[in-house]
């Protein structure tokens, strides 16, 4: 693992990192409180397709978790996204196109991302400012396509926010197999008028989750119109399950 | 309006009241903070069929609103429920049977309950410990069957928790007309495995609500298995909209 120098903004310390995962160099960002030391909850944040680990809602959620809760948070770029690209200034539409093609053509993409998340988690928990605390996952849309299999396979994850996805798409069979293996508490987010993943397929995926400790929050609007309220609820949900007893 | 003597328990003051509504004597309970004086938010709580204004979840929600938020809360008995009955110790199954028959046979039942709520609200806001503050409504199942028309018709209600109901049942046409007239923010609760009001009809009702400021929270389990989490979320939702800016 390589870790870049700290950059502090509004009491949140941000550091770039690169971890090695089966020979791949995976770029990520870590956020932690000022002068953090010793184990604390860590939330892994999976961004959506065409975005990156620097996406506005990713950094905003991370900052809330750090400042309000004293947690650490981390994000890695998804396949063909962000700093995994030679041309990191590609337009979002091109990135989306390439991701969609990969999703359709490369069934191993999910396995690689699961490996990348697990490797990142292990490396991050070796850092002083993170340590072996409770682990949460947050990822909608592509963050669920690639993150649900991670949550299903890595028993270190104790709570997950998933959603904006359904039992559909090229990796549908994989998701259908992995969903019942999700045993941790889940908050599942649905956009009621989602034009990409309709509420009926979203409901099928929610039904199939293996945990009985789950709740579905639906908001009016299209795929990309997730309201602030969903982020506030996410943060409260993760805080409740990763610290115990926080109301 | 007649108001009974205060009875204080755990810093919550409870008083019985009876209001006159078009010649009907309507029995209710008011909860307020110790030595409350001056305007404060008031939440009206509609109980479910076969219950009463003394139902456990009604008094628990009221106590939370009073203690945590400094609000007032009030409940009135529904038609053929609680102290509206000559035999207030009737078994729940008998009350449910009678309510179901009334729902099917007496289309004016809803209008009477709307009148009763409006009369209770006016009378309560004349009391020193309540005053003309913001008003919320909370009612699931029968609390929505009879409460949604009240929320639709009384513009004093600024936020409502509704649910455990769908576009179905004897008053379906009335509910279908009133739902688009609900203009205040709504939190809508669904039990994912509701055996009385299935998720599909619940979704239809949610769709039909006239406000765009709405969210649906669904939890696994049957009609009567609403988890504590839904009450905590209800309380947070009402606090946010009735006090402004409370996160």
């Amino acid at each position: 693992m390589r870790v870049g120098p700290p950059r502090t903004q509004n009491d949140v310390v941000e550091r770039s990192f690169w971890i090695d995962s089966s020979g791949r160099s995976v770029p990520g960002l870590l956020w932690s409180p000022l002068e953090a030391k010793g184990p604390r909850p860590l939330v892994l944040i999976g961004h959506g397709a065409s975005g990156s680990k620097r996406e506005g809602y990713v950094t905003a959620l991370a900052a809330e978790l750090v400042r309000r809760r004293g947690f650490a948070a981390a994000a890695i770029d998804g396949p063909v996204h962000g700093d995994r690209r030679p041309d990191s200034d590609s337009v979002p539409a091109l990135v989306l196109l390439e991701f969609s093609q990969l999703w359709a053509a490369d069934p191993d993409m999910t396995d690689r991302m699961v490996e990348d998340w697990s490797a990142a988690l292990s490396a991050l928990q070796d850092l002083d400012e993170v340590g072996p605390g409770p682990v949460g996952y947050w990822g909608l849309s592509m963050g669920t396509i690639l993150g649900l299999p991670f949550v299903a396979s890595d028993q270190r994850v104790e709570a997950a926010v998933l959603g904006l996805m359904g039992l559909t798409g090229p990796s549908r069979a994989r998701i259908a197999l992995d969903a019942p293996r999700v045993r941790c508490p889940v908050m599942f987010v649905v956009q009621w008028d989602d034009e990409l993943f309709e509420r009926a397929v979203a409901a099928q995926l929610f039904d199939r989750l293996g945990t009985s400790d789950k709740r579905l929050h639906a908001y009016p609007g299209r795929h990309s119109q997730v309201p602030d309220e969903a982020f506030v609820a996410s943060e409260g949900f993760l805080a409740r399950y990763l610290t115990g007893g926080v109301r």
Side-chain angles (χ1 to χ4, degrees), chain A:
Chain A
M1 183 187 215
R2 274 193 302 138
V3 182
R7 244 185 34 139
T8 301
Q9 202 174 9
N10 297 328
D11 295 344
V12 177
V13 181
E14 178 183 295
R15 303 172 79 184
S16 295
F17 66 82
W18 295 262
I19 51 122
D20 179 84
S21 168
S22 308
R24 289 182 297 283
S25 176
V26 179
L29 288 172
L30 168 65
W31 298 275
S32 57
L34 287 173
E35 295 172 27
K37 207 145 181 75
R40 70 195 59 250
L42 167 67
V43 176
L44 304 173
I45 305 178
H47 66 81
S50 87
S52 81
K53 63 188 181 310
R54 290 198 182 283
E55 200 64 31
Y57 59 80
V58 172
T59 56
L61 177 62
E64 281 293 297
L65 290 164
V66 168
R67 275 201 297 259
R68 278 175 65 86
R69 310 290 180 176
F71 288 11
I76 60 174
D77 284 320
V80 305
H81 285 77
D83 294 325
R84 298 218 204 202
R85 303 180 67 80
D87 52 340
S88 62
D89 59 345
S90 306
V91 294
L94 175 64
V95 177
L96 183 60
L97 193 71
E98 290 185 17
F99 168 71
S100 303
Q101 291 168 340
L102 203 63
W103 190 19
D106 184 354
D108 299 333
M109 174 183 71
T110 299
D111 287 324
R112 291 196 301 275
M113 191 66 177
V114 169
E115 280 179 1
D116 294 353
W117 271 126
S118 289
L121 173 52
S122 298
L124 289 163
Q125 288 197 321
D126 281 343
L127 297 175
D128 272 356
E129 61 265 52
V130 180
V135 177
Y137 178 83
W138 188 98
L140 306 182
S141 196
M142 188 184 84
T144 287
I145 294 170
L146 302 174
L148 185 150
F150 164 63
V151 173
S153 81
D154 197 315
Q155 301 308 309
R156 290 175 292 181
V157 178
E158 295 182 26
V161 178
L162 301 170
L164 294 197
M165 230 313 260
L167 261 195
T168 186
S171 60
R172 182 198 159 123
R174 169 70 183 267
I175 296 282
L177 280 174
D178 279 343
R181 298 170 57 216
V182 172
R183 298 292 185 178
C184 67
V186 170
M187 172 178 153
F188 194 87
V189 176
V190 172
Q191 283 297 99
W192 201 240
D193 312 295
D194 195 321
E195 71 283 15
L196 300 181
F197 304 107
E198 292 188 353
R199 62 178 90 152
V201 292
Q204 286 169 6
L205 179 51
F206 178 70
D207 273 334
R208 214 171 157 80
L209 294 171
T211 176
S212 61
D213 188 349
K214 55 186 170 182
R215 68 279 302 137
L216 181 154
H217 287 204
Y219 305 95
R222 292 183 170 268
H223 189 73
S224 64
Q225 296 177 316
V226 179
D228 284 351
E229 180 175 334
F231 289 88
V232 174
S234 293
E235 193 243 327
F237 167 79
L238 291 166
R240 208 159 68 236
Y241 280 93
L242 301 182
T243 55
V246 174
R247 186 192 155 104

